[in-house]
Amino acid sequence: MKPADAPVDIQDEAALQLDGAGNLRHLLTLKGLDKDLLIDILDDAEGYLTEPGSIPARSELLAGRTVANLFFEPSTRTRASFDLAGKRLGADVLNLDVNTSSRKKGETILDTIYTLQAMHVDVMVVRDASAGVPAYIARHVQDHVSILNAGESEVSHPTQGLLDLLTIRQHKRDFGNLTVAIVGDILHSRVAMSAAHGLATLGVGELRLVSPAILAPDPDSVPGAVITDCLQQGLDGADVVMALRIQRERIGNLDGIPNIDEYFAEYGVNHQHLKFAAPDAIVMHPGPMNRGIEIESAVADGPQSVITQQVTNGVAVRMAVLERVGRLMSRP
Ligand code: CP
């Protein structure tokens, strides 16, 4: 649903997110960001990873700065990890409860943004069900304020894309020789779109998008990807298998969508289907998982799963992004 005050305006997002010197000012999409910048962010994120059980990496890079989490859609992982990332960099972090905010009384999204800006919020982390909202906000904030897209309709989820790239890189060093299979509701998935953009920039060997025909993407939105409704063909020899849930909240009419049992039998990433992939394939899922629908529990919790590692990497990636936009604010 598009709020009346938020026109869809997704052109030139790539240009909008860089300053005149090519530095990242907002993070709205991975589309158009160059390879060196993506690799720099992944390298920075790796520097924030610590051994399990150790004290997480901390710094005071954002001391005195304020990060506001504005999630107009539900979230567990993204919101919690931006919260932790901001705090671990020394920022004040505000988690606005949108269900009790004045948007419920009819305040426009821009009035909410201007209100927070007037309270010296420096970074706004925005999740919204409508396409174009992060860019729309980015066009209206003052020069020192950064907007980070934390999930935009079915269009873009750039920090998820970055954490997925980081996780793949930790296991499979050479993107050029990789076959990545994304299985599930590709049509409604911002995760798939950001993964596709990032993987294309890093030169992935082959990207396969596997779904029932009714959930397949527009080929023009994923140039170069192989689109198939055959799971066996899609998984054949794949090095990376990413399962996605059916995004029922974004599907108005469920007619034609397979029922749970049919879907699991034909497209579920289970231990039988996983045998089509390479023996050392990793299994990913952005979460939240619907066990027994798009992924079998034995696979989600099995030896090939890197799903909890994705979550860990999510905090590190968000620290790297916050650090990067925070550096611009610290300049005289
Ligand atoms: N992957 C992801 O965006 O999860 P959340 O919806 O829990 O943030």
Side-chain angles (χ1 to χ4, degrees), residues 71 73-81 127 150-151 157 159-160 163-164 190-191 245 249-250 285-288 310-311 318:
F71 280 66
E73 263 195 340
S75 169
T76 296
R77 281 147 285 271
T78 312
R79 179 171 158 160
S81 57
R127 172 172 288 193
H157 194 351
T159 55
Q160 178 72 45
L163 76 89
D164 290 338
R190 56 197 179 204
V191 173
R245 74 185 172 89
E249 71 276 20
R250 297 194 196 110
H285 193 305
Q310 287 175 268
V311 176
R318 285 158 186 137

Side-chain angles (χ1 to χ4, degrees), residues 8 79 99 164 262 289 296:
V8 172
R79 179 171 158 160
N99 290 317
D164 290 338
E262 289 168 350
M289 283 188 280
E296 182 184 34

Side-chain angles (χ1 to χ4, degrees), residues 84-107:
L84 290 171
K87 287 172 179 162
R88 288 176 186 169
L89 291 172
D92 296 330
V93 181
L94 169 71
N95 287 293
L96 190 76
D97 183 350
V98 293
N99 290 317
T100 56
S101 78
S102 286
R103 283 203 75 195
K104 292 283 173 191
K105 300 183 212 166
E107 181 170 80

